[in-house]
Amino acid sequence: MLKLKHCIAALALAFAAPAFSQEPVNLDQLLQQLKEGKFAQSQANEEREARFRAQAEQQQQVLREAIAKRDQLEQASARLEGQFETNERDLAALEDALTQRMGSLKELFGVLQQVAGDTASNLRNSYVSVEFPGRSDALSDLAQKMGSSSKLASIEEIESVWFALQQEMTESGKVSQFNTQVTLANGEKETKPVIRVGTFNMVSDGKYLELIPGTDAVAELMRQPAGRYLNTAEALVESNDNPVRFGLDPTGGSILGLLVQAPDLQERIDQGSTVGYIILALGAVGLLIALERFVTLILMGGKVKRQLKNAQAQDDNPLGRVMAVKDKYPQADTETLELKLSEAILREVPKITRNLTFIKIISVVAPLLGLLGTVTGMINTFQAITLFGTGDPKLMAGGISQALVTTVLGLVVAIPMTLLFATLNTRSKNLVHVLQEQASGIIAERSERGH
């Protein structure tokens, strides 16, 4: 019962709160407050309803105005749609009339647009545009105009295309000299005299120039071609209008660009890395030894020839020292003298054949070192392929090329070393043969004297 009273009191307070802020004292006061609150709510609702009914007529007026405006706009839309359809039919008729009146001119101007665009592209990549800048801009504007508007090209615009083509053909057969700004290899810009050889090449101060793409400016090649081509460029600069030989690139710079990318001799050697340097060092040592042996054997051979003409033994050559054995042992029998002469010849042989074995070893070791460098380079190449794949053929071709450099260096050292060894070995054997021949003659002479 107590809980029910509390709930009723709470409900009464909720309804009576808007009208009364005083707390009820008993149930009679609570009932009175409920009656008064209900009356106040009913009065507020009646007031709102009265206001709504008073504004209903105004809302109906707004609705009628909106409907009238909608109908007016729908009529305007229908009228505009009809006008649009009429304009479409008139425009199609006018376009048909224009096409019939233009006839073959439409095809002519289409070709004119294509030729103007192609010519502008060619002129942007032509060395002639360096001497006559801005030629391609007018043609580009003409091609864009012909493609984006229905206006016909004027006679002057058509003649401008013909003039540009004729100028390009005329200048392609000329050697012209003029001043222009050149970007040097160090990045600086300088105005210098330039010689243009048709539409093929440009040179300045004996160096080849290249056209900067998309501009009418030129720059020195970062890498110049081989000396024989630079000599022709210098000859052209100093020709004074006289005929000279010149290294011409008929592709306008494509072949020249590939030519300067080819590594020179020093770069090829550097590709051989450590193994290549070792091979070259061995080759240099072998060459010095071979040179020393060659000079020594020539001098020794000359002294031996002079000794052959002189019966008196000289101590400055191997033959003289062998012949001195005969005078040293005049009373020795034939067998003893033969042994003494053999001993003297054996003493001279190391002096004659000194270091020849080392040259032979170099001729054998050099190609083996080259093969070692090649195998090492191929291993590195295949490791790169494993990491980066085979999508770039230049990567694999460049690695194989570097690997084969050591083989080339090994062969370059081995072939001359083999030839030098063969030559020096033949000379030394000839000298030993002379010593043996003269020793046999001495023994024969002593034997005859003994008999």
Side-chain angles (χ1 to χ4, degrees):
M1 187 66 181
L2 184 59
K3 289 183 177 180
L4 179 60
K5 290 182 178 181
H6 284 298
C7 291
I8 293 174
L11 183 60
L13 287 175
F15 282 101
F20 301 95
S21 59
Q22 185 178 0
E23 292 289 337
V25 178
N26 51 37
L27 293 177
D28 294 333
Q29 291 180 354
L30 176 60
L31 182 61
Q32 183 64 29
Q33 289 181 0
L34 288 175
K35 289 180 180 180
E36 293 176 356
K38 181 179 180 181
F39 174 76
Q41 289 180 358
S42 299
Q43 187 178 5
N45 291 336
E46 290 175 356
E47 292 177 357
R48 285 197 296 269
E49 185 177 355
R51 287 197 303 269
F52 179 77
R53 290 175 178 175
Q55 295 176 356
E57 183 64 26
Q58 182 180 358
Q59 293 174 357
Q60 289 293 329
Q61 181 64 29
V62 173
L63 178 61
R64 286 192 295 270
E65 291 177 357
I67 293 174
K69 188 174 182 180
R70 181 199 64 185
D71 296 338
Q72 183 181 1
L73 292 176
E74 287 179 352
Q75 293 175 0
S77 175
R79 186 176 65 256
L80 292 176
E81 287 180 358
Q83 184 66 36
F84 178 77
E85 293 176 357
T86 303
N87 292 338
E88 285 286 332
R89 289 192 296 270
D90 295 342
L91 181 60
L94 292 175
E95 288 181 350
D96 293 338
L98 177 62
T99 302
Q100 293 176 1
R101 292 180 180 180
M102 288 185 64
S104 59
L105 287 178
K106 188 172 184 180
E107 182 179 356
L108 171 64
F109 291 130
V111 174
L112 178 63
Q113 176 188 357
Q114 181 181 0
V115 172
D118 295 342
T119 304
S121 178
N122 293 333
L123 295 184
R124 279 192 292 268
N125 299 321
S126 174
Y127 285 110
V128 181
S129 297
V130 180
E131 186 175 359
F132 305 99
R135 296 188 305 159
S136 61
D137 297 338
L139 295 179
S140 297
D141 295 340
L142 176 60
Q144 186 176 4
K145 172 185 174 182
M146 296 299 297
S148 60
S149 68
S150 59
K151 294 183 179 180
L152 303 181
S154 63
I155 298 298
E156 291 78 8
E157 291 174 335
I158 298 176
E159 288 180 347
S160 66
V161 179
W162 167 82
F163 177 78
L165 293 172
Q166 183 63 39
Q167 184 186 38
E168 185 73 9
M169 289 187 291
T170 303
E171 295 295 331
S172 64
K174 292 183 180 180
V175 178
S176 176
Q177 183 172 0
F178 58 94
N179 293 330
T180 187
Q181 191 177 63
V182 179
T183 303
L184 305 180
N186 57 7
E188 298 180 358
K189 295 183 178 181
E190 182 179 347
T191 301
K192 304 173 66 175
V194 172
I195 297 178
R196 174 181 57 81
V197 183
T199 57
F200 307 109
N201 292 105
M202 294 184 70
V203 296
S204 177
D205 293 340
K207 296 181 179 180
Y208 282 86
L209 306 179
E210 63 177 346
L211 184 66
I212 301 176
T215 65
D216 295 334
V218 291
E220 287 185 358
L221 286 173
M222 297 300 295
R223 286 173 53 109
Q224 294 292 325
R228 58 194 180 106
Y229 300 109
L230 293 179
N231 293 336
T232 63
E234 294 177 357
L236 180 63
V237 174
E238 301 172 356
S239 62
N240 296 325
D241 297 333
N242 295 322
V244 294
R245 295 173 62 89
F246 177 70
L248 185 68
D249 182 5
T251 62
S254 298
I255 296 178
L256 184 61
L258 296 175
L259 184 64
V260 298
Q261 291 180 6
D264 55 16
L265 180 60
Q266 181 61 42
E267 291 174 342
R268 286 292 188 189
I269 294 175
D270 293 339
Q271 289 177 353
S273 188
T274 305
V275 178
Y277 294 138
I278 294 175
I279 294 174
L280 292 178
L282 288 177
V285 172
L287 185 61
L288 292 176
I289 294 175
L291 182 61
E292 184 271 333
R293 285 287 83 201
F294 192 75
V295 173
T296 301
L297 291 178
I298 288 178
L299 296 177
M300 190 179 297
K303 293 178 181 180
V304 169
K305 289 181 179 180
R306 289 194 298 269
Q307 183 64 58
L308 289 174
K309 300 177 181 179
N310 190 0
Q312 185 177 1
Q314 301 291 331
D315 195 33
D316 61 348
N317 63 91
L319 180 58
R321 288 189 287 271
V322 171
M323 292 176 60
V325 175
K326 176 185 66 172
D327 299 332
K328 188 176 180 180
Y329 301 99
Q331 303 300 327
D333 56 11
T334 304
E335 294 181 0
T336 304
L337 182 60
E338 182 179 2
L339 294 175
K340 294 295 184 181
L341 290 173
S342 298
E343 182 184 0
I345 293 173
L346 290 176
R347 262 196 312 269
E348 298 297 333
V349 168
K351 299 178 183 178
I352 297 174
T353 61
R354 185 178 58 186
N355 293 331
L356 293 183
T357 304
F358 190 73
I359 297 176
K360 184 177 181 180
I361 292 174
I362 292 177
S363 66
V364 175
V365 171
L368 295 178
L369 287 174
L371 181 61
L372 173 63
T374 298
V375 173
T376 305
M378 292 298 292
I379 291 174
N380 295 332
T381 300
F382 285 115
Q383 287 178 347
I385 293 175
T386 302
L387 294 175
F388 304 105
T390 58
D392 187 3
K394 291 184 178 180
L395 177 64
M396 185 169 56
I400 295 174
S401 176
Q402 293 181 6
L404 294 177
V405 168
T406 55
T407 299
V408 173
L409 293 177
L411 295 176
V412 166
V413 172
I415 292 173
M417 288 296 105
T418 302
L419 295 176
L420 289 173
F421 172 76
T423 302
L424 296 174
N425 190 45
T426 301
R427 283 183 172 272
S428 63
K429 285 184 177 181
N430 290 337
L431 290 176
V432 174
H433 179 72
V434 170
L435 297 182
Q436 292 175 347
E437 182 182 11
Q438 294 300 316
S440 298
I442 293 172
I443 295 173
E445 180 182 359
R446 179 66 60 87
S447 178
E448 290 178 356
R449 187 184 303 171
H451 285 297

